[in-house]
């Protein structure tokens, strides 16, 4: 039987591609979804990552149906893009509470059984914006940069228990999140990427699957850009 993996926000985009890559790697995969439905071929549990009780209930159900969760991909995230001058406190709070506090809620629930089992993998999906900032996304960049500090601290706390904690930092990836942007914004973004194109969700998923797999057992506290060179250029 394969290891049990959970991908939050695994019903579409990068999360769904990751769920499928982990399944291809032989894992038993569960995903969470929140406001939209999940495809019928994935084991899905509805959960708002901002809510500790819902997170606990989702883990409990997955543990009951599939077994202890050994691999967690904290992928759920949102944007509320605006320049700081016009950003509302709600824009800021929603992005921080979903991306950063949501990662904390998921990590806190995930770690206790991992500590008991003396092993596990935690992979957080941050963003290149955590490393270089992003106009119109100060709330998002702050949340993602917070995730980097959070994950590195967790890596220090957990490495002696054989639990690795790593971060991927995707650049511009084609998903609903970026398809919602105007064409002009997307073509301007593509022109700044050294590889000259957006990445695909599968290209992110493959890297996450590597970090979740046996071959990455000695990697912890790493922040891995998946960005076509975006963060090298700066
Ligand atoms: P999508 O917008 O396609 O998907 C977002 C996912 O997050 C959905 O599954 C959504 O569930 C889930 N979600 C949102 N809010 C909550 C919540 N409160 N509780 C639980 N789940 C929630 O995004 P992407 O696939 O593009 O992004 C996935 C991750 O990758 C995000 O963390 C994003 O910040 C990050 N990222 C994306 C990049 C890109 O260019 N696309 C670049 C860098 C990082 P539902 O559909 O049910 O609402």
């Amino acid at each position: 039987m394969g290891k049990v993996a959970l991908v939050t926000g695994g019903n579409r985009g990068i999360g769904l591609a990751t769920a499928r890559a982990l399944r291809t790697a032989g894992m038993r995969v569960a995903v969470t979804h929140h406001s939209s439905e999940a495809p019928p071929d994935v084991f899905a549990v509805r959960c708002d990552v901002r809510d500790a009780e819902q997170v606990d209930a989702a883990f409990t159900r997955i543990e009951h149906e599939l077994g202890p969760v050994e691999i967690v991909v904290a992928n759920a995230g949102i944007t509320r893009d605006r320049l700081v001058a016009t950003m509302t406190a709600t824009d800021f709070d929603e992005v921080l509470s979903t991306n950063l506090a949501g990662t904390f809620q998921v990590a806190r629930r995930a770690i206790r059984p991992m500590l008991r089992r003396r092993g596990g993998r935690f992979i957080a999906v941050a963003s290149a914006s955590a490393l270089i900032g992003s106009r119109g996304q100060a709330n998002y960049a702050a949340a993602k940069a917070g995730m980097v500090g959070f994950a590195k601290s967790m890596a220090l706390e957990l490495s002696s228990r054989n639990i690795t904690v790593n971060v991927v930092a995707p650049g511009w990836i084609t998903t609903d999140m970026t398809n919602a942007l105007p064409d002009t914004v997307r073509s301007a973004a593509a022109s700044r990427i050294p590889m000259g194109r957006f990445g695909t969700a599968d290209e992110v998923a493959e890297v996450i699957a590597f970090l979740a797999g046996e071959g990455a057992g000695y990697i912890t506290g790493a922040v891995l850009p998946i960005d076509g060179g975006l963060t090298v250029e700066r």
Side-chain angles (χ1 to χ4, degrees), residues 8-15 32-37 46-50 74-79 98-99 125-128 140 144 169-178:
T8 67
N11 56 314
R12 59 194 173 97
I14 291 169
T32 69
H33 60 123
H34 173 231
S35 62
S36 53
E37 297 305 317
R46 196 177 289 276
C47 166
D48 183 339
V49 293
R50 296 169 295 184
N75 165 78
I78 59 165
T79 50
T98 303
N99 294 275
V125 182
S127 163
Y140 182 75
K144 296 301 194 183
W172 292 92
I173 309 298
T174 301
T175 66
D176 296 343
M177 187 176 271
T178 48

Side-chain angles (χ1 to χ4, degrees), residues 11 62 78 88 91 96 111 125 131 144 149 152 175 188 202 211 221:
N11 56 314
I62 295 161
I78 59 165
T88 66
D91 296 329
L96 268 284
I111 284 166
V125 182
L131 312 175
K144 296 301 194 183
K152 286 189 178 221
T175 66
D202 287 338
L211 290 171

